Amino acid sequence: MNWDRRAFVKFAVGAVVGLHASPLIPKLMDDSAIWTQNWNWVPTPEDGALAFANTVNPATGTGVKVRMVTGRLKGERLIRVEGNPEHPTSKGGVLPADASALENLYFDDFRVKTPLIFNKDTGMHEAVSWDKALEVVAGKLAELYKAGQAHTVAALGTEAKTLDGELLSRFMAALGSPNLSFNVSAADTLALAGWAMAGEENLGFDLAGANYVISFGTPLLEGFGAPVAVRKAFAGWRKDFKHTGTLVQVEPLASVTASQADQWLGCKPGTEAAVALGLCQVLIQEGLYDRAAAGAVGFEDGDRGPGFKTLLAKNYSPGQVSQISGVPVETLIGVAKAFAKEPKAVAVCGPGGGGEPGRLLDFMAVLALNALKGNFGKPGGVVVRQPLGLKPLGEAINHAGGKPRLDGLGSAKRPVGVADHLSLAKAALSGNPYKVNMALVAGGNPAYSAPQAGVVRDFLRSVPFLVAITPYLDETAVMAQVVLPCGTFLESWGDSLAPYGGAVAEYGLHRPLIKAYEQVKSQGDVILALAAKLGGDVAKALPFASAEAALKTRTAGLGDLAKLAQKSYHVADKPAYGSVSFKTPSGKLEFFSMNLHNLAVKLSGEGGMGKVLKSLGVSAEGTAALMPHYEPPAALAAAGHGRLLLAAVPSLRTPKGDQPLTPYMLKVLDGETLSNKDELVVEMNPQTAASLHLAEHDRVKVTSQAGSSDAIVHLFAGAAPGMVFMPVGLGRFAIANAYTMGRGGNYNQVAEATADPLSGLPVWSLTPVAVTKA
C-alpha cells in the first residue's frame, strides 16, 4: 500500500495550518449533540406528584436520575432520564443512550410484552402464558438432559461477571454444558495483558489524575469505558480556559478524539503498538526511564536470551518505528521526552472504534511504556482497582458432562482467552466434535452485534431450537422459537461492574422503577424460573426465590441491599495509590512474561515451546515471543492491489453493542453519518478516492469476505490513504422497529474477524475490502 504522509496535512486551507485546519472543524461539532439533552426545556407535567429515583445504566456506566410522575395515563410513568450530580464518576452528565432510554422502555411495537412461541403454520409468533412458555423450554432442556445430550445446549450471554452472567454460568454448569459464551471486550484483553506482565487483572488508568495522556488507537472521547466520566476528566484539563493537561492521540483517522487532542500522531493503520515501543526505546536511549524497571524480569539480557532493552534497541529505534508507522522521528522523540517530563503521565490502550477488544501484544506494549515511566500505583498513572467484596452465589460447579468445549477454549488449541460468540458459532457450524441442538440467548442481540454477525446469524438459524430472553423484538428474537420477555434496566433488577479502564472500584445497581408491561420479568428472574421448572441439579445450583434475593447474597459485603438500591452505586473514594504488589511468578513486573512462558511449557515442554507459540499466531522467535513486541495485523498483508482497509468510526450518538438505536439518536446524527436520512456514509481520503475514480457523494458497495454494505462516499483529508471508515451502530433490520429499520449498514456485517496472536480473541479493527461504484 503506497503511503504519502503529506496526504494527512494537505488540507483545504493548506499545509501551513497543519492539523488544526478546516477538515477537523466539523469533527468538533460531534460534541454539540451529545450534551443538548442536559438543557432544561423539557416541561414538567402538572398532574400528579413528581418524584426522582437513582439508577445506573449498565450499557453506559452512567449514574442517572429518573423523573417519575403519578396520574399520567395510568398509575406511575417515567417522564425523563437525566444526570445524577451525586454520582462520583459521571457527576450529572448523560449520553444520548441514557437520555433516550424511555424511548426503548415505551416503544410498544418493539417491546416483547408477553412470552411468545413461533407457530410454524402461520409463520408468526403467538402470545402464550409464562407457564406454557417455561414448560416448553424446560421440557426441551429435560429431553436433552435425559438423552445425555445436555452438552449440545449452548448459551450466549452479555457480561460474564454481572449477576445475570453468573446466574447463566451456574445454570449451564449444573445442566452439564460447557458451551457458554459472552460478549468479548477490551476489558478481557487488558485483564490478560495485566496477568501476563503484572499478575493483576483489575488494572485501570487514572485519567482524572493525569496531566499528560497518550491514547493509542482507542476512541478516548467517543466510547472509552464510561464515556461521561472520561469526558469529565478531559473537561478538567480545560477548566476555566486553563490548559492543565495534554492529550496525544495515535491513530490513522482525524477522529473526534484526534481533533480535540493537543497532538495527533497520524500513523499507518495497525501500527500503534510500534509507536508505543518506539517511545519506550527513546526513554531508554535518553536515560529518561524509571530505574526500578531495570529490575523487572526480562529487562536485561539473561540465560533465556536477549532482554527487552536489547529487543527495543535492535528493532524499535525512532528511525525504524518511523518507517513502520509513518510518524516522523522528531515527533517520536518529542512526545517521548514530554511524556517522561510530566510527573503525572499515562499511556492508554482500549477498545477499537467498533468495540473490538484490541490485540494482546499491543496492550502489553502500552503497559511496558507505563512501566518505563514508573507510574504503576501512582496518581495519574496505572492503578490496580481494589476488589469490591462481592460474594459468590454458591460453591463453584464443574459441568458434569465431561464433554470438551466446541470452541476449544482451555485446550492446547486455545489455552488462554475468554469464551466469545463468534468462536462458538464457527465451531458449532462445523459440527465438530458435535452439533448444537438448542441455544439460549440471554439479554443480548448477537445476530446484529457480534463480530462477523452473518456467521453468528447463520449459527443461530441452524440451531433446531432457539430461545431468546430479551426486552425487544430484535434481529435475534425474530429467529427464536420461544421469546421470553425481560425488562430494560428501568424495570428490572441487575448490576454492572467498573467500566473499562476505570481507576476506582465501582459497582452499579439497577432496580425496577416501574412495571411498564405486566408480564415482563428481570432477566435473572427468567433464568431462575427456568431452573425451578427444570428442577434437579439446576434448581439446587440456583436456590434463589428471585433476582433480588440473589443480589442480596451477592452484595452482602456492601451493606443493606435496600439502601444500596436507593443509592444505586458503590464507588471507592479514590484510586488505590501506593506500591503495587505484583502477583507474577517472580513477584516482580515482568517484561518477559513467566505466566505465558509457564503456560507454553505446560502445553509443549521446553523444547516445543516455539512450535506452540507459532500455532498461536506469534511470528516472533526466542524471548521476544513472550515480550511486548509488534506483530503486523493480518489484514495488512491483504491490503493493496485495489483493496482498502476498513475501520470503524465510533460515535456517542449511536449505541454500542446490543443496545437498540433510538429515534432520538437518529435525530442527532449528521450528514456525515447518514445521508438522505437512511444511506450510510463512509469516509475516504480524496487521494484514495481518486485512485478508484470515485467522487464526493458517489454510491459505492463496500465488500469483504464476511459481507457487504452500500454507502455514500464522503471525502475527508483526515482519513488515512488506503482506508475507508464506516460508522457503527446502524444497519438495523428488525422489522418491529420501523423507526430504525434499514437506516444505514451494519459495520459488524462487513468487518472480518481474525484470531489475535496468543489470546485467540476475535479482532476486527481492520478488514480488507473492495470498494466499487454501485
Side-chain angles (χ1 to χ4, degrees):
M1 179 173 63
N2 293 327
W3 187 268
D4 181 0
R5 183 167 178 78
R6 288 176 298 173
F8 276 121
V9 295
K10 197 174 182 181
F11 294 120
V13 181
V16 176
V17 292
L19 299 182
H20 297 288
S22 58
L24 294 181
I25 300 302
K27 293 293 182 182
L28 296 170
M29 300 299 291
D30 195 30
D31 293 331
S32 62
I34 294 169
W35 303 105
T36 55
Q37 66 274 9
N38 289 324
W39 296 348
N40 292 318
W41 59 267
V42 178
T44 301
E46 295 181 359
D47 56 332
L50 188 66
F52 294 86
N54 296 335
T55 192
V56 173
N57 185 346
T60 63
T62 307
V64 299
K65 280 187 177 293
V66 182
R67 291 192 188 194
M68 56 181 67
V69 68
T70 58
R72 297 194 79 201
L73 300 182
K74 57 179 182 178
E76 290 186 331
R77 189 167 180 86
L78 308 186
I79 60 169
R80 188 182 182 192
V81 176
E82 56 195 57
N84 180 2
E86 299 168 355
H87 193 278
T89 56
S90 50
K91 300 177 182 177
V94 293
L95 300 175
D98 306 314
S100 59
L102 298 185
E103 293 184 342
N104 288 330
L105 175 68
Y106 290 122
F107 191 179
D108 279 14
D109 291 345
F110 192 44
R111 288 297 305 274
V112 181
K113 299 182 283 291
T114 66
L116 303 172
I117 291 182
F118 184 73
N119 186 321
K120 292 182 180 179
D121 295 332
T122 64
M124 303 284 288
H125 284 99
E126 298 178 352
V128 297
S129 67
W130 267 106
D131 284 343
K132 175 64 175 177
L134 292 173
E135 181 182 336
V136 170
V137 176
K140 184 64 177 178
L141 288 168
E143 176 188 324
L144 293 170
Y145 182 85
K146 291 175 182 177
Q149 295 293 304
H151 60 282
T152 67
V153 179
L156 292 77
T158 52
E159 303 294 332
K161 296 181 180 179
T162 61
L163 172 72
D164 291 340
E166 291 210 13
L167 291 173
L168 186 62
S169 296
R170 293 182 68 80
F171 183 98
M172 293 296 288
L175 181 67
S177 175
N179 295 306
L180 171 65
S181 64
F182 292 96
N183 292 339
V184 66
S185 72
D188 300 313
T189 308
L190 184 59
L192 285 172
W195 167 79
M197 297 182 65
E200 278 287 356
E201 297 184 8
N202 291 310
L203 298 181
F205 305 102
D206 185 19
L207 295 175
N211 55 18
Y212 194 100
V213 176
I214 307 178
S215 167
F216 289 91
T218 188
L220 197 64
L221 302 180
E222 302 137 277
F224 178 96
V228 171
V230 174
R231 284 180 169 267
K232 291 287 185 180
F234 179 74
W237 304 338
R238 306 290 193 266
K239 190 175 181 181
D240 298 327
F241 300 100
K242 296 178 182 178
H243 202 93
T244 59
T246 298
L247 173 61
V248 178
Q249 180 71 5
V250 185
E251 65 167 310
L253 175 68
S255 63
V256 170
T257 301
S259 71
Q260 296 194 21
D262 299 274
Q263 191 171 6
W264 168 44
L265 307 190
C267 65
K268 296 178 185 179
T271 64
E272 290 88 349
V275 174
L277 294 168
L279 299 181
C280 287
Q281 171 56 17
V282 174
L283 294 185
I284 292 176
Q285 74 181 22
E286 298 291 333
L288 299 173
Y289 67 99
D290 180 50
R291 293 304 186 271
V297 172
F299 183 76
E300 300 285 359
D301 298 348
D303 295 339
R304 290 189 177 86
F308 186 59
K309 183 178 177 182
T310 300
L311 172 71
L312 292 174
K314 181 180 178 181
N315 299 317
Y316 300 104
S317 69
Q320 289 168 301
V321 169
S322 182
Q323 287 292 317
I324 295 170
S325 67
V327 178
V329 169
E330 60 273 16
T331 301
L332 293 168
I333 295 174
V335 169
K337 288 182 176 180
F339 183 71
K341 179 182 177 181
E342 290 292 342
K344 298 179 180 179
V346 65
V348 174
C349 51
E356 309 91 45
R359 306 196 310 154
L360 175 58
L361 290 170
D362 292 7
F363 279 42
M364 290 174 66
V366 173
L367 290 184
L369 179 58
N370 285 300
L372 292 176
K373 170 63 182 173
N375 65 13
F376 273 68
K378 296 181 180 178
V382 176
V383 293
V384 178
R385 287 194 303 270
Q386 297 305 300
L388 282 166
L390 297 176
K391 306 296 183 182
L393 297 180
E395 294 183 0
I397 306 170
N398 294 318
H399 76 86
K403 297 290 185 179
R405 291 184 59 96
L406 280 168
D407 58 15
L409 186 61
S411 68
K413 169 184 162 185
R414 196 179 168 196
V416 296
V418 296
D420 67 276
H421 300 329
L422 180 60
S423 298
L424 174 62
K426 287 181 175 180
L429 285 170
S430 74
N432 184 24
Y434 51 86
K435 293 184 177 181
V436 171
N437 289 315
M438 180 176 179
L440 178 67
V441 177
N445 183 17
Y448 169 84
S449 63
Q452 235 168 294
V455 172
V456 177
R457 197 156 56 246
D458 288 344
F459 156 58
L460 295 176
R461 283 198 187 106
S462 74
V463 176
F465 196 87
L466 175 63
V467 179
I469 303 173
T470 176
Y472 312 111
L473 282 169
D474 55 27
E475 290 80 0
T476 300
V478 295
M479 296 190 290
Q481 277 70 43
V482 178
V483 184
L484 303 176
C486 69
T488 69
F489 76 97
L490 296 170
E491 52 190 333
S492 61
W493 287 100
D495 60 3
S496 56
L497 304 183
Y500 173 81
V504 295
E506 185 172 341
Y507 181 74
L509 190 145
H510 54 89
R511 59 192 169 95
L513 301 180
I514 196 166
K515 200 170 184 65
Y517 302 99
E518 187 62 32
Q519 296 196 51
V520 166
K521 299 177 183 286
S522 298
Q523 182 182 317
D525 285 330
V526 177
I527 296 171
L528 291 172
L530 273 176
K533 195 77 171 179
L534 195 58
D537 292 339
V538 179
K540 290 178 183 177
L542 296 170
F544 306 102
S546 65
E548 182 181 2
L551 272 173
K552 190 171 184 179
T553 296
R554 180 171 164 85
T555 62
L558 301 180
D560 180 65
L561 177 63
K563 292 181 179 178
L564 179 62
Q566 289 288 332
K567 187 178 181 181
S568 80
Y569 62 85
H570 172 85
V571 180
D573 293 334
K574 61 181 181 179
Y577 300 131
S579 178
V580 174
S581 177
F582 297 108
K583 298 181 177 65
T584 55
S586 66
K588 302 177 181 179
L589 179 74
E590 296 182 351
F591 289 107
F592 178 85
S593 174
M594 292 302 300
N595 273 329
L596 290 174
H597 171 268
N598 293 343
L599 181 62
V601 169
K602 180 180 178 181
L603 293 172
S604 64
E606 286 280 1
M609 187 172 67
K611 185 176 180 180
V612 166
L613 293 173
K614 290 288 185 186
S615 72
L616 296 177
V618 180
S619 62
E621 298 180 348
T623 54
L626 297 176
M627 291 181 178
H629 66 276
Y630 171 64
E631 298 259 352
L636 295 184
H641 307 292
R643 293 178 69 80
L644 307 182
L645 288 174
L646 172 70
V649 180
S651 172
L652 294 179
R653 297 177 294 179
T654 54
K656 300 293 186 294
D658 298 301
Q659 298 305 302
L661 180 67
T662 65
Y664 174 78
M665 292 177 182
L666 282 173
K667 183 179 179 180
V668 298
L669 289 179
D670 59 22
E672 293 181 11
T673 304
L674 278 180
S675 178
N676 301 320
K677 296 184 179 181
D678 60 4
E679 294 181 288
L680 184 73
V681 176
V682 294
E683 293 181 328
M684 190 181 298
N685 187 281
Q687 190 181 76
T688 301
S691 71
L692 298 175
H693 307 291
L694 297 174
E696 180 78 4
H697 301 314
D698 274 356
R699 285 182 168 79
V700 295
K701 182 176 286 292
V702 182
T703 306
S704 71
Q705 291 186 352
S708 64
S709 178
D710 293 330
I712 300 292
V713 170
H714 171 57
L715 303 183
F716 179 47
M723 298 188 71
V724 57
F725 294 89
M726 180 180 290
V728 296
L730 303 171
R732 311 289 171 139
F733 57 88
I735 195 168
N737 193 337
Y739 291 105
T740 62
M741 184 182 69
R743 302 292 183 92
N746 183 7
Y747 171 79
N748 294 322
Q749 179 72 25
V750 185
E752 183 179 2
T754 58
D756 179 47
L758 282 182
S759 75
L761 293 175
V763 288
W764 60 99
S765 57
L766 296 172
T767 298
V769 294
V771 179
T772 55
K773 188 175 290 188

